[in-house]
Amino acid sequence: MLVLASASPRRKELLAQLVKRFEVCPADIDEAPYENEGAVDYVLRMAREKAQAAAEKLKAKRNEIENVVILASDTSVVVDGVILGKPSCFEDSKRMLRLLSGRDHQVMTSICLYDLHREHVQLTNVTSNVSFRALSDVEIAQYWKSGDPQDKAGSYAIQGLGAVFVRSVSGSYSAVVGLPLYEASQLLALFGIHALEEMSGE
């Protein structure tokens, strides 16, 4: 059985493109970066800790954990090596979007697969480059009022209204949304879960 350790509707929709049947077990963890922690180390740690948190919840609820595989993921927006989390308020959102305005930044998405029975873990990270056009303060204020950026890393959603700011994406579009489908399918195959077989019913 596959378990998605996320409450994100975006990750749920993306995973459903690869696997028909899975359960959802959201993981709540402290997402504050460590002092001097690099961006790649941070997103990999977040994915691992989400998987571990979901594992603890499942172990507390189930007597049988054989054949349970957890998929956890984390996405962070990074500019000049600085991790941009979710905005706490409009001023925080404006600060982030001004940083991204008219330039390139990186979106890092990590995946952790965790086989509870075998205590086996696989991790990977995908980095995509996103280029923004210049944004005015009026546009930033209007965007905040739309509600779109308020719970998103970097204060924008490429699959939503934030797409109008994006000039180009180099890398994995699905990773920028929240789950890199190619890399996820490759990791799932290592755990005996094959996307083509799952979706064809074979």
Side-chain angles (χ1 to χ4, degrees):
M1 180 189 69
L2 181 64
V3 176
L4 175 63
S6 175
S8 165
R10 300 171 298 282
R11 289 200 177 102
K12 186 176 179 180
E13 289 170 5
L14 287 165
L15 184 58
Q17 295 181 39
L18 300 178
V19 181
K20 283 183 178 178
R21 293 173 296 276
F22 59 90
E23 294 186 10
V24 174
C25 180
D28 295 319
I29 62 170
D30 180 358
E31 297 188 15
Y34 294 152
E35 187 175 356
N36 298 322
E37 185 174 27
V40 173
D41 291 339
Y42 170 75
V43 292
L44 288 171
R45 179 173 66 83
M46 288 295 96
R48 180 190 286 272
E49 289 187 3
K50 287 177 181 179
Q52 291 170 336
E56 293 305 312
K57 287 173 71 173
L58 289 170
K59 288 175 181 177
K61 291 193 298 184
R62 294 171 179 270
N63 294 323
E64 181 57 61
I65 60 169
E66 191 171 355
N67 298 323
V68 174
V69 175
I70 295 171
L71 186 154
S73 184
D74 185 75
T75 300
S76 290
V77 173
V78 180
V79 60
D80 296 334
V82 177
I83 301 164
L84 301 184
K86 298 173 183 177
S88 59
C89 61
F90 169 62
E91 289 300 322
D92 197 27
S93 175
K94 183 164 67 173
R95 175 188 64 83
M96 292 183 191
L97 291 172
R98 280 177 169 174
L99 279 173
L100 302 178
S101 176
R103 57 180 302 194
D104 293 359
H105 63 271
Q106 290 70 51
V107 177
M108 298 181 182
T109 299
S110 59
I111 308 172
C112 177
L113 257 68
Y114 179 20
D115 183 321
L116 267 64
H117 182 65
R118 295 190 297 150
E119 293 287 332
H120 179 59
V121 174
Q122 287 279 349
L123 284 158
T124 193
N125 181 66
V126 177
T127 299
S128 303
N129 199 70
V130 179
S131 178
F132 260 32
R133 65 170 175 81
L135 311 181
S136 70
D137 283 351
V138 171
E139 288 176 312
I140 289 172
Q142 290 172 334
Y143 185 48
W144 176 260
K145 288 177 182 177
S146 76
D148 197 45
Q150 295 179 17
D151 63 343
K152 309 297 191 305
S155 197
Y156 80 93
I158 196 171
Q159 75 281 5
L161 189 57
V164 302
F165 304 147
V166 177
R167 285 192 303 213
S168 64
V169 176
S170 176
S172 169
Y173 174 82
S174 62
V176 178
V177 175
L179 184 68
L181 293 178
Y182 171 75
E183 289 78 9
S185 69
Q186 296 296 302
L187 283 186
L188 287 167
L190 295 178
F191 287 73
I193 302 170
H194 300 276
L196 291 175
E197 292 177 7
E198 286 280 332
M199 300 311 289
S200 66
E202 296 181 0

